[in-house]
Amino acid sequence: MRSFAGRDILSLKGFERAEYFRVFETADRLAQIARDRRSSDLLAGKILVTAFYQPSTRTRLAHESAMLRLGGQVTGFSDAKMTRAGDFYQESIKDTVHMLEFYGDVIVMRHFEQGAPAEAAKWASVPVINAGDGWGEHPTQVLTDMYTILKEKGTLDGLHFVLVGDMRMRTMHSMSYAMSQFDITASYIAPEDMSLTDEFKKEIDELSLEYEEVEHIDQVIDKADVIYMEPVVQPDYTKSRDERTGDVGKTPSNYQVTRELMKKAKGDSIVLHSLPRMDELSEEVDYTRHARYWEEAFNGVVMRMALLSLVLGKME
Ligand code: CP
């Protein structure tokens, strides 16, 4: 297995099965610190730089919280408009990263351009973590998802995943790569203009992922062990910011999960949503035994604790 020390976390493509378990074991070892709401000194003296060129609630703050829980410090920006990348100068990733690498020991970057964190990693002498790049990937979110599923189901093998929402979404790409490393079968449900692209299908075919595409969640809900959701009413992820203007429309029932629908699901099936949500996931599902998206808020911090300590070489 490749060492994690000094490594960039840019994509789950090529992330091996044993590497998932290495990350999950590390998360298990650190979880008690977060559970006890205390701090340790594992990353004392280390600084995390957050470079967010797109809005975020969970990903940025979970990384920051993880760093603080491990005794490290945090600097960075969450509004690129107030940096030289977002004003008249439109400073390049290369020039920006040549600065940021001296301000801290690890950089977490979210960007509206697919591949921007990989471009940053080319120039940075410190590890770069991809916190979501355009429609590209969202590896730390999906590591959190898979960790949550492992904790809830006790295994990642022999499961059927129902993925519903916009398949152009970065989480869906990372999730597809992740599923290919386990004995997982998948049903994808998306509107035609948001379905898996031919190019991406070719990639997952090459990874031997067993999957089908269906029209309505009703057709597959009874065989789901995991229901993994994204909105179909959502912003343009290739923009730095997409304001809501006027009526954005409603989610068709094909892509909605409701309490009524969950009556047809297996009793032990679980619903995950990376959040934020629109109307595709009814709030009434929050009060069913199936909801696991709030557990993910906790696991999201633990996962980032694991990743930061691994790439900073403290848990080899
Ligand atoms: N899940 C997720 O990426 O949420 P944020 O956009 O709030 O970071």
Side-chain angles (χ1 to χ4, degrees):
M1 192 192 318
R2 291 171 294 172
S3 167
F4 277 96
R7 183 161 150 190
D8 305 305
I9 307 290
L10 300 172
S11 167
L12 292 188
K13 190 173 179 179
F15 211 84
E16 293 164 12
R17 183 181 168 98
E19 294 175 323
Y20 285 90
F21 288 115
R22 176 82 185 104
V23 172
F24 299 155
E25 280 160 24
T26 307
D28 280 344
R29 286 166 65 191
L30 297 171
Q32 199 61 39
I33 297 168
R35 201 168 288 123
D36 293 346
R37 293 183 178 276
R38 62 183 166 84
S39 295
S40 82
D41 59 3
L42 187 69
L43 297 185
K46 299 292 182 190
I47 298 174
L48 166 69
V49 182
T50 54
F52 276 61
Y53 293 79
Q54 233 184 8
S56 167
T57 298
R58 281 148 283 272
T59 312
R60 184 173 66 89
L61 295 176
H63 277 97
E64 292 190 0
S65 174
M67 194 64 179
L68 296 170
R69 285 260 182 250
L70 295 176
Q73 291 174 294
V74 177
T75 185
F77 59 84
S78 63
D79 183 356
K81 280 205 162 30
M82 297 308 288
T83 72
R84 294 309 195 181
D87 78 350
F88 180 88
Y89 290 98
Q90 299 194 2
E91 192 167 25
S92 68
I93 293 277
K94 178 183 173 187
D95 285 5
T96 304
V97 163
H98 272 324
M99 299 294 118
L100 300 186
E101 65 178 334
F102 300 114
Y103 302 162
D105 305 292
V106 53
I107 298 168
V108 178
M109 177 178 284
R110 170 168 289 189
H111 207 286
F112 48 90
E113 277 175 21
Q114 189 168 337
E119 167 73 6
K122 272 202 296 200
W123 306 110
S125 56
V126 299
V128 175
I129 297 178
N130 179 2
D133 60 326
W135 293 120
E137 279 204 61
H138 198 347
T140 69
Q141 173 65 49
V142 169
L143 286 166
T144 303
D145 297 326
M146 295 302 264
Y147 182 60
T148 303
I149 296 163
L150 180 62
K151 296 277 102 189
E152 296 293 331
K153 305 299 265 182
T155 179
L156 290 169
D157 291 311
L159 301 177
H160 187 79
F161 282 31
V162 167
L163 299 100
V164 55
D166 187 340
M167 296 307 151
R168 298 169 305 171
M169 192 53 190
R170 50 203 182 197
T171 46
M172 293 299 186
H173 296 148
S174 294
M175 181 54 87
S176 300
Y177 295 133
M179 288 188 300
S180 76
Q181 292 299 306
F182 301 92
D183 174 24
I184 290 171
T185 52
S187 303
Y188 291 96
I189 306 144
E192 205 174 336
D193 58 338
M194 299 181 187
S195 60
L196 296 168
T197 62
D198 288 342
E199 196 186 351
F200 191 68
K201 274 199 249 185
K202 203 166 159 246
E203 264 194 66
I204 55 177
D205 285 342
E206 278 166 16
L207 293 170
S208 305
L209 177 66
E210 201 181 310
Y211 69 93
E212 61 178 354
E213 291 176 280
V214 295
E215 272 179 28
H216 201 299
I217 192 166
D218 222 16
Q219 294 169 250
V220 285
I221 190 67
D222 61 343
K223 61 176 179 178
D225 297 300
V226 175
I227 299 139
Y228 188 69
M229 303 191 67
E230 282 291 345
V232 295
V233 178
Q234 63 171 354
D236 180 349
Y237 274 80
T238 63
K239 289 183 178 169
S240 58
R241 190 176 171 82
D242 203 355
E243 296 288 343
R244 193 195 291 202
T245 49
D247 182 13
V248 290
K250 295 266 180 235
T251 302
S253 66
N254 307 42
Y255 321 111
Q256 266 188 337
V257 170
T258 60
R259 185 197 286 264
E260 207 47 40
L261 180 87
M262 290 311 294
K263 285 182 188 164
K264 299 177 200 166
K266 289 185 194 174
D268 64 351
S269 61
I270 59 171
V271 178
L272 297 182
H273 192 307
S274 67
L275 301 172
R277 66 176 146 189
M278 296 290 280
D279 65 334
E280 73 284 352
L281 177 58
S282 317
E283 271 192 40
E284 57 186 20
V285 178
D286 299 5
Y287 307 105
T288 70
R289 64 180 179 277
H290 304 286
R292 290 296 184 283
Y293 27 95
W294 306 127
E295 280 74 2
E296 283 209 278
F298 173 77
N299 288 337
V301 175
V302 175
M303 179 49 60
R304 275 66 178 224
M305 288 164 72
L307 291 172
L308 290 169
S309 55
L310 282 167
V311 301
L312 287 170
K314 295 294 183 180
M315 290 296 273
E316 284 294 322

